[in-house]
Amino acid sequence: MLWLSRVTHQPHTDDNMKVTALLIICSCLLLGISGKPQFPEQEKDPKFWNSWAQRTLKNAVTLQDLNKNKAKNLIFFLGDGMGVPTVTAARILKGQLNGHSGEETQLEMDKFPFVSLAKTYNTNAQVPDSAGTATAFLCGVKANEGTVGVSAAAVRSQCNTTEGNEVTSILRWAKDAGKAVGIVTTTRVNHATPSAAYAHSVDREWYSDNEMPAEALQAGCKDIARQLFENIPNIDVILGGGRKYMFPKNKSDVEYPNVLKHSGTRKDGRNLVQEWIDRMKDKKGHYVWNKKQLLSLNPNNVDYLLGLFEPADLTYDLERNTDTDPSLTEMVEVAIKILRKNPSGFYLLVEGGRIDHGHHEGKAKQALHEAVEMDRAIGRAGLMTSTHDTLTIVTADHSHVFNFGGYTVRGNTIFGLAPRVSDIDQKPFTSILYGNGPGYKVVNGARENVSAIDYQENNYQAQAAVPLSMETHGGEDVAVFAKGPLAHLLHGIHEQNYIPHVMAYAACIGQNREHCMPISGTAGLRPVFSSIATILTVTRLLC
């Protein structure tokens, strides 16, 4: 197919379009005539598939021995915008990056024994946003779009609807139970997803006081960056972007001193980073802003860590400076090394936040590489923990109007062309397409001929059906992958706000404690009704 992409690189002419179509059709016919299989030879033998199915069946039977241990640790991976089509495409990409056809590859999340679906709608939105969904999967309460850490009684951007409508998150429940807690994200640490873990804001875009209306400030509402340090002052690990929201307005950024857009934004003149450093100086607290500083730390000598690696969001993984910027996997590894020192365990929120941004920009290659990197982080976390005492959940907040199709052959590069041209305009098209977004382009009154451009370039914007400056979210259910103690409670189809209740139940925190054994340990959970039944049985025997 690489040969095919080269020969179809033609100018915008009717004759060349016909030639392009002919070449594509002929190449497909030649592949078929040659008899060369587009899949491993062993797949022709029914024994291959039967043996694979039998191995899978034997593994499935063992799941009858459900893990009912108490979850000492909780890890929640959130792929922002990682709908099922994104999961499938990322699986293929992962395989192809490793030299395989891709379809048969397993993502780390694919290996989780329990999978369910979550309904993602917000209380006031059929197709949700990342703020209302974050409130659901972190606070256990469905909420309005654009709001974080508040119930649906709060109205977006109306400060006076905040008070009395605050809801707390599982990160807070874990902290109150004595666990270490952490947040790791590839976006700003005060972006929609992480902010629902600690903030109560009727507007997700109130990153600092600079982004807030005067009346909201006068009414006493706090910006999200400030709430990060004040609402739960001792979050053990905070890693991500968002430096500029922590510093006084116009203060030069340490990494980009001559770039005005990266300078501090705070109108109140506060230096939240320095305040944190001063507060943590006697508590083994460390602040870092680059990869070298992060990886040079000895986790045994760090109890609190604040790492802000960019003024706003981290760069896409494909564009990341591997010398100065840490990967999501590297951040997760450092976080776990610090958090697991707590004898009571930990709760860790990890967000692959730029999957969403890649899709919004119509840049599927960026989005899918972000998803593959998050899968690496999931694998690393799995190696550092045990399913015996660690409940790990992987899911998405919402989907996107992203998909791939076009009857592509086995092993076709996920960023490649469909094997046939359109029977309407006789032009080729990429397998990946968006329902709407910036990839909608018209050239000379007709659909752009993708064979005349580099459609495998990192920032290529895939063609879209409807022109929009930014592609939109999708409204379908998202997958929820789970492993570890009580992971089987995630089954079937559930409301998205069910997720943190399962995690809290498994860890005996928050409002879910009555079913737990009175003494701590890994001996497991005992439902309340079984204890009552035992008492009744003994009473009956004695009487």
Side-chain angles (χ1 to χ4, degrees):
M1 297 307 293
L2 290 176
W3 169 82
L4 180 58
S5 69
R6 286 197 295 268
V7 299
T8 56
H9 194 83
Q10 303 290 338
H12 296 279
T13 68
D14 291 340
D15 289 341
N16 282 332
M17 280 193 292
K18 292 176 181 177
V19 172
T20 299
L22 185 60
L23 284 170
I24 293 173
I25 294 169
C26 288
S27 64
C28 292
L29 289 172
L30 285 171
L31 286 171
I33 293 170
S34 68
K36 182 180 179 181
Q38 297 300 299
F39 51 87
E41 188 70 22
Q42 61 185 350
E43 293 185 11
K44 292 182 177 180
D45 188 347
K47 291 180 181 178
F48 169 79
W49 298 107
N50 289 332
S51 297
W52 191 348
Q54 287 299 314
R55 290 194 303 271
T56 305
L57 184 61
K58 289 178 181 178
N59 289 334
V61 170
T62 65
L63 294 179
Q64 290 181 351
D65 297 325
L66 299 175
N67 183 345
K68 296 183 179 180
N69 295 336
K70 177 181 177 180
K72 177 183 178 181
N73 308 314
L74 302 169
I75 304 178
F76 185 78
F77 280 94
L78 191 282
D80 199 314
M82 191 182 69
V84 171
T86 300
V87 172
T88 307
R91 178 188 304 127
I92 294 172
L93 174 59
K94 176 183 178 181
Q96 292 180 348
L97 289 173
N98 291 315
H100 306 295
S101 64
E103 298 84 2
E104 72 293 332
T105 300
Q106 273 194 312
L107 292 167
E108 293 299 325
M109 64 187 92
D110 292 342
K111 302 172 187 177
F112 286 27
F114 297 97
V115 183
S116 60
L117 294 176
K119 296 189 285 183
T120 64
Y121 67 92
N122 296 150
T123 48
N124 65 339
Q126 186 178 77
V127 177
D129 91 314
S130 295
T133 51
T135 303
F137 60 69
L138 291 175
C139 302
V141 174
K142 286 234 175 188
N144 293 327
E145 59 88 26
T147 65
V148 292
V150 289
S151 71
V155 180
R156 183 170 189 175
S157 302
Q158 293 187 17
C159 174
N160 62 357
T161 65
T162 307
E163 188 174 357
N165 294 320
E166 300 91 344
V167 291
T168 57
S169 76
I170 187 169
L171 183 140
R172 182 61 180 261
W173 309 339
K175 189 67 176 177
D176 289 346
K179 294 183 183 297
V181 296
I183 296 171
V184 176
T185 180
T186 54
T187 67
R188 288 153 275 187
V189 293
N190 51 345
H191 207 250
T193 297
S195 65
Y198 57 83
H200 312 289
S201 178
V202 290
D203 198 313
R204 58 175 286 179
E205 296 180 356
W206 288 355
Y207 301 121
S208 74
D209 58 352
N210 183 65
E211 290 75 41
M212 295 178 65
E215 56 269 23
L217 291 169
Q218 292 168 2
C221 279
K222 298 179 181 180
D223 64 86
I224 296 172
R226 181 180 167 188
Q227 292 189 57
L228 171 62
F229 298 103
E230 295 182 358
N231 288 4
I232 309 176
N234 292 321
I235 297 176
D236 303 76
V237 175
I238 304 168
L239 299 176
R243 271 197 309 262
K244 68 179 183 179
Y245 305 108
M246 315 300 171
F247 291 96
K249 194 170 182 65
N250 297 326
K251 179 177 174 59
S252 294
D253 184 73
V254 64
E255 189 174 6
Y256 310 99
N258 300 315
V259 183
L260 186 60
K261 69 177 183 178
H262 294 324
S263 297
T265 64
R266 301 198 63 80
K267 290 181 177 179
D268 59 10
R270 292 178 64 177
N271 184 329
L272 298 179
V273 170
Q274 189 59 52
E275 291 178 17
W276 183 91
I277 293 172
D278 293 341
R279 190 169 71 244
M280 296 298 182
K281 63 182 179 181
D282 297 324
K283 298 181 180 180
K284 293 184 179 180
H286 293 262
Y287 168 67
V288 296
W289 61 268
N290 60 52
K291 176 178 176 176
K292 182 179 179 180
Q293 293 175 343
L294 176 70
L295 299 186
S296 66
L297 293 171
N298 181 346
N300 294 325
N301 298 328
V302 180
D303 289 340
Y304 296 96
L305 176 60
L306 172 63
L308 301 174
F309 304 104
E310 286 291 330
D313 302 319
L314 273 59
T315 56
Y316 285 121
D317 197 64
L318 272 178
E319 300 171 352
R320 179 172 60 88
N321 184 325
T322 56
D323 293 326
T324 61
D325 300 330
S327 67
L328 182 61
T329 301
E330 290 166 339
M331 291 192 291
V332 166
E333 181 171 354
V334 173
I336 292 177
K337 285 179 178 178
I338 294 171
L339 297 175
R340 69 185 180 186
K341 296 188 300 179
N342 188 316
S344 297
F346 64 85
Y347 171 87
L348 176 60
L349 166 63
V350 181
E351 182 196 20
R354 303 223 64 195
I355 301 169
D356 177 71
H357 296 171
H359 282 321
H360 277 308
E361 295 175 357
K363 299 175 180 177
K365 193 165 189 176
Q366 298 286 10
L368 296 183
H369 274 269
E370 291 293 309
V372 170
E373 171 57 26
M374 192 181 85
D375 198 64
R376 291 192 194 100
I378 294 168
R380 186 65 56 84
L383 293 173
M384 299 177 70
T385 56
S386 168
T387 54
H388 178 74
D389 65 358
T390 302
L391 172 61
T392 304
I393 292 175
V394 180
T395 188
D397 46 358
H398 55 74
S399 186
H400 278 267
V401 290
F402 159 87
N403 220 313
F404 67 100
Y407 303 114
T408 47
V409 298
R410 178 79 175 271
N412 191 68
T413 170
I414 191 64
F415 304 115
L417 295 173
R420 302 175 185 173
V421 297
S422 165
D423 60 355
I424 303 298
D425 65 9
Q426 283 73 53
K427 294 179 184 177
F429 59 96
T430 55
S431 173
I432 285 175
L433 297 168
Y434 285 95
N436 57 49
Y440 179 94
K441 291 181 177 67
V442 174
V443 178
N444 297 325
R447 181 171 68 91
E448 183 177 48
N449 186 347
V450 296
S451 66
I453 57 177
D454 184 2
Y455 50 81
Q456 298 202 49
E457 192 266 328
N458 288 352
N459 290 302
Y460 168 69
Q461 292 177 310
Q463 291 186 335
V466 177
L468 287 177
S469 59
M470 294 288 280
E471 178 264 2
T472 73
H473 295 170
E476 73 268 27
D477 300 347
V478 296
V480 185
F481 306 84
K483 69 174 180 178
L486 298 186
H488 59 279
L489 296 181
L490 287 159
H491 61 278
I493 301 175
H494 296 285
E495 296 288 352
Q496 194 171 39
N497 67 294
Y498 173 68
I499 296 171
H501 292 278
V502 169
M503 300 186 81
Y505 188 92
C508 297
I509 61 176
Q511 60 182 307
N512 293 286
R513 303 181 194 179
E514 70 282 353
H515 62 288
C516 303
M517 294 182 66
I519 57 174
S520 61
T522 58
L525 305 176
R526 296 293 184 271
V528 173
F529 64 80
S530 65
S531 300
I532 295 173
T534 301
I535 294 172
L536 291 174
T537 301
V538 172
T539 302
R540 192 179 300 115
L541 290 172
L542 292 175
C543 299

